């Protein structure tokens, strides 16, 4: 008798995969001032840490189009958890072992960023390949775990530092490393299916010739940009608009943003069967524009903060929604398509915060001007969805 496969175990492993990515992306930034005070690392060097993290993710996203299908999903996704765990462990011990603490930090960042990049590329197609009925809802619920992971990292780390002191950050780093280490065993034992049979997925050259593919890439860039432009500047915006401390700014800014984004993805995951995905994304795009305008144009701090927080609701469905639309419109896209979509989302998430910062700096440090210009990203996403609905209303064969 054939034993029935337990795809719920696969789903749990993928949930924890995004929690791992949230740890990788959000924990080290909480330690920037600690690195400065403990090791005497200048802020100009510290600024290289997030750059190294996202650049490594970029490279892994791109490289994954070449090697994932050849090596196999299981080996790659287990490696993503092992790399994440090893990177976090080395973050706690390498700075003390090497002559230059900063080099130790960068080595650790590169390792867990490699794990994070693989997670981003692999987890969505793994869930897409599972025989679930409501794929759109599953995809949205899956991506909500990155939000809940980010909230857990910020709140959990803040609580730990309050009780035990920032000086014990290495202990907390090792505690966070347990999550990917445990999840590696989940991915070793859970059922994993191939998204597309061998020889049936489209090649990169075929994808590049599709106008539909480039429109999907544009939607992904705008999704990542709309999310990151507000998320990355939420703390600074809250501090300047409300006149509060950095700790309060972190909790009321990016943490609140992540909570609302998680709520948005969770609710859509539960209600997706009753909603049209494209229309929902159009409505979210319009809400996003309104939120950016509230944050950038209102003279009342509370209205600005509300715009910042509710922006989390509006962007929540954009990234997973674009992935679901891509699977529907281009079902033979395969791993290469998912990897390039992740690359496009990361590109938008990297460019938009830098653009907001540069424009704000040119405007004499006025962050509202930078956020006002960033309204272009959800506007372009709305136009892209309209074109998609108008020209590409049939599945690509």
């Amino acid at each position: 008798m054939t034993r029935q496969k337990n795809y719920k175990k696969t789903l749990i492993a993928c949930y924890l995969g995004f929690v791992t990515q949230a740890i990788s992306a959000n924990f080290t930034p909480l330690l920037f001032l600690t690195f400065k005070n403990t090791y005497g690392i200048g802020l100009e060097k510290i600024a290289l840490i997030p750059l190294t993290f996202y650049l490594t993710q970029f490279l892994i996203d791109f490289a994954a189009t070449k090697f994932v299908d050849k090596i196999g999903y299981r080996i790659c996704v287990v490696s993503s958890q092992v790399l994440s765990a090893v990177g976090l462990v080395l973050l706690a011990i390498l700075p003390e072992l090497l002559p230059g603490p900063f080099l130790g930090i960068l080595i650790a960042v590169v390792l867990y960023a490699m794990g994070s990049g693989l997670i981003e590329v692999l987890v969505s197609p793994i869930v897409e390949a599972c025989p679930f009925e409501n794929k759109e809802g599953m995809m949205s619920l899956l991506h909500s775990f990155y939000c809940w992971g980010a909230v857990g990292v910020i709140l959990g780390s803040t609580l730990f530092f309050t009780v035990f002191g920032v000086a014990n950050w290495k202990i907390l780093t090792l505690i966070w490393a347990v999550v990917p280490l445990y999840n590696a065993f989940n991915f070793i034992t859970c059922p994993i299916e191939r998204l597309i049979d061998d020889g049936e997925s489209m090649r990169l050259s075929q994808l590049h010739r599709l106008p539909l593919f480039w429109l999907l890439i544009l939607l992904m860039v705008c999704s990542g940009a709309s999310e990151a432009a507000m998320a990355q500047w939420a703390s600074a915006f809250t501090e300047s608009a409300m006149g509060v401390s950095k700790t309060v700014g972190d909790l009321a800014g990016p943490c609140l943003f992540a909570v609302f984004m998680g709520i948005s993805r969770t609710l859509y995951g539960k209600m997706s069967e009753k909603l049209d995905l494209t229309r929902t994304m159009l409505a979210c795009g319009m809400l996003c524009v309104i939120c950016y305008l509230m944050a950038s144009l209102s003279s009342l701090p509370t209205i600005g903060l509300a715009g910042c927080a509710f922006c989390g609701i509006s962007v929540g469905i954009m990234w997973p929604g674009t992935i679901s639309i891509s699977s529907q419109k281009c079902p033979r896209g395969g791993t290469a398509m998912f990897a390039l979509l992740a690359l496009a989302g990361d590109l938008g998430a990297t460019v938009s915060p830098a653009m907001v910062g540069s424009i704000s700096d040119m405007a004499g440090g006025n962050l509202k001007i930078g956020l006002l210009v960033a309204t272009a990203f959800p506007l372009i996403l709305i136009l892209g969805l309209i074109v998609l609905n108008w020209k590409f209303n049939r599945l690509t064969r």
Side-chain angles (χ1 to χ4, degrees):
M1 183 176 179
T2 304
R3 186 178 179 182
Q4 191 173 8
K5 295 181 179 179
N6 183 8
Y7 290 105
K8 287 186 177 180
K9 189 172 183 179
T10 308
L11 200 58
I12 291 171
C14 290
Y15 288 162
L16 288 177
F18 269 129
V19 171
T20 296
Q21 189 184 36
I23 294 169
S24 299
N26 295 281
F27 177 61
T28 302
L30 300 175
L31 300 172
F32 283 172
L33 288 181
T34 303
F35 292 156
K36 177 178 179 294
N37 297 330
T38 304
Y39 301 119
I41 301 172
L43 291 177
E44 72 282 354
K45 284 189 174 181
I46 287 177
L48 294 175
I49 295 175
L51 178 63
T52 300
F53 178 79
Y54 287 111
L55 180 60
T56 303
Q57 276 205 165
F58 274 141
L59 295 175
I60 289 296
D61 288 350
F62 181 74
T65 63
K66 304 290 186 181
F67 68 77
V68 167
D69 283 331
K70 294 178 181 178
I71 298 175
Y73 278 13
R74 191 180 302 277
I75 292 175
C76 290
V77 78
V78 170
S79 298
S80 76
Q81 303 304 293
V82 173
L83 284 166
S84 298
V86 171
L88 288 167
V89 170
L90 291 181
L91 182 66
I93 63 177
L94 270 189
E96 305 292 343
L97 293 180
L98 297 181
F102 183 65
L103 177 60
I105 293 171
L106 282 188
I107 291 172
V109 168
V110 168
L111 286 172
Y112 69 63
M114 290 172 66
S116 179
L118 284 172
I119 291 168
E120 193 165 52
V121 169
L122 292 166
V123 169
S124 292
I126 285 174
V127 171
E128 187 68 28
C130 290
F132 298 124
E133 292 183 3
N134 181 16
K135 292 290 181 70
E136 294 174 11
M138 285 292 184
M139 194 62 66
S140 182
L141 193 60
L142 169 70
H143 283 258
S144 75
F145 275 81
Y146 176 85
C147 307
W148 302 129
V151 172
V153 169
I154 295 171
L155 291 180
S157 299
T158 301
L159 179 62
F160 181 93
F161 294 149
T162 301
V163 176
F164 300 104
V166 182
N168 291 308
W169 65 270
K170 294 177 185 177
I171 296 174
L172 181 60
T173 307
L174 296 176
I175 292 173
W176 288 130
V178 172
V179 176
L181 187 62
Y182 164 77
N183 205 35
F185 293 99
N186 283 339
F187 276 120
I188 288 171
T189 56
C190 72
I192 295 178
E193 305 294 343
R194 291 191 65 86
L195 185 64
I196 298 174
D197 293 334
D198 290 334
E200 293 189 9
S201 61
M202 298 178 72
R203 296 189 300 272
L204 282 175
S205 58
Q206 292 175 305
L207 279 172
H208 291 163
R209 288 196 295 268
L210 281 179
L212 168 64
F213 170 74
W214 291 108
L215 182 55
L216 294 171
I217 289 292
L218 177 65
L219 291 178
M220 204 64 183
V221 169
C222 291
S223 297
S226 299
E227 176 184 326
M230 186 67 79
Q232 294 294 313
W233 287 101
S235 180
F237 176 81
T238 305
E239 287 178 59
S240 61
M242 305 293 288
V244 296
S245 67
K246 187 184 186 310
T247 301
V248 175
D250 286 343
L251 294 177
C255 191
L256 194 59
F257 179 93
V259 167
F260 277 105
M261 187 162 69
I263 290 173
S264 171
R265 289 175 174 177
T266 302
L267 286 177
Y268 184 79
K270 299 294 185 182
M271 302 169 58
S272 59
E273 291 180 315
K274 301 176 182 178
L275 299 171
D276 179 83
L277 178 57
T278 303
R279 291 179 180 177
T280 303
M281 286 185 66
L282 278 170
C284 287
M286 295 173 188
L287 176 60
C288 188
V289 171
I290 293 171
C291 289
Y292 267 93
L293 293 177
M294 287 171 61
S296 59
L297 298 180
S298 175
S299 58
L300 296 174
T302 51
I303 299 296
L305 180 61
C308 176
F310 285 119
C311 187
I313 291 178
S314 68
V315 301
I317 190 59
M318 290 180 180
W319 189 300
T322 302
I323 290 176
S324 292
I325 288 175
S326 301
S327 297
Q328 294 170 8
K329 302 292 185 183
C330 195
R332 291 178 53 235
T335 308
M337 181 182 72
F338 279 94
L340 291 173
L341 288 172
L343 181 66
D346 280 343
L347 176 63
T350 302
V351 170
S352 60
M355 186 196 78
V356 170
S358 298
I359 292 173
S360 300
D361 188 55
M362 288 188 288
N366 189 342
L367 188 54
K368 289 186 174 184
I369 299 298
L371 291 175
L372 179 62
V373 175
T375 309
F377 294 116
L379 283 171
I380 295 172
L381 180 124
I382 291 171
L383 292 174
L385 285 168
I386 292 172
V387 172
L388 181 75
N389 200 44
W390 173 51
K391 291 201 70 174
F392 302 103
N393 55 357
R394 294 181 181 178
L395 293 178
T396 300
R397 301 291 181 186

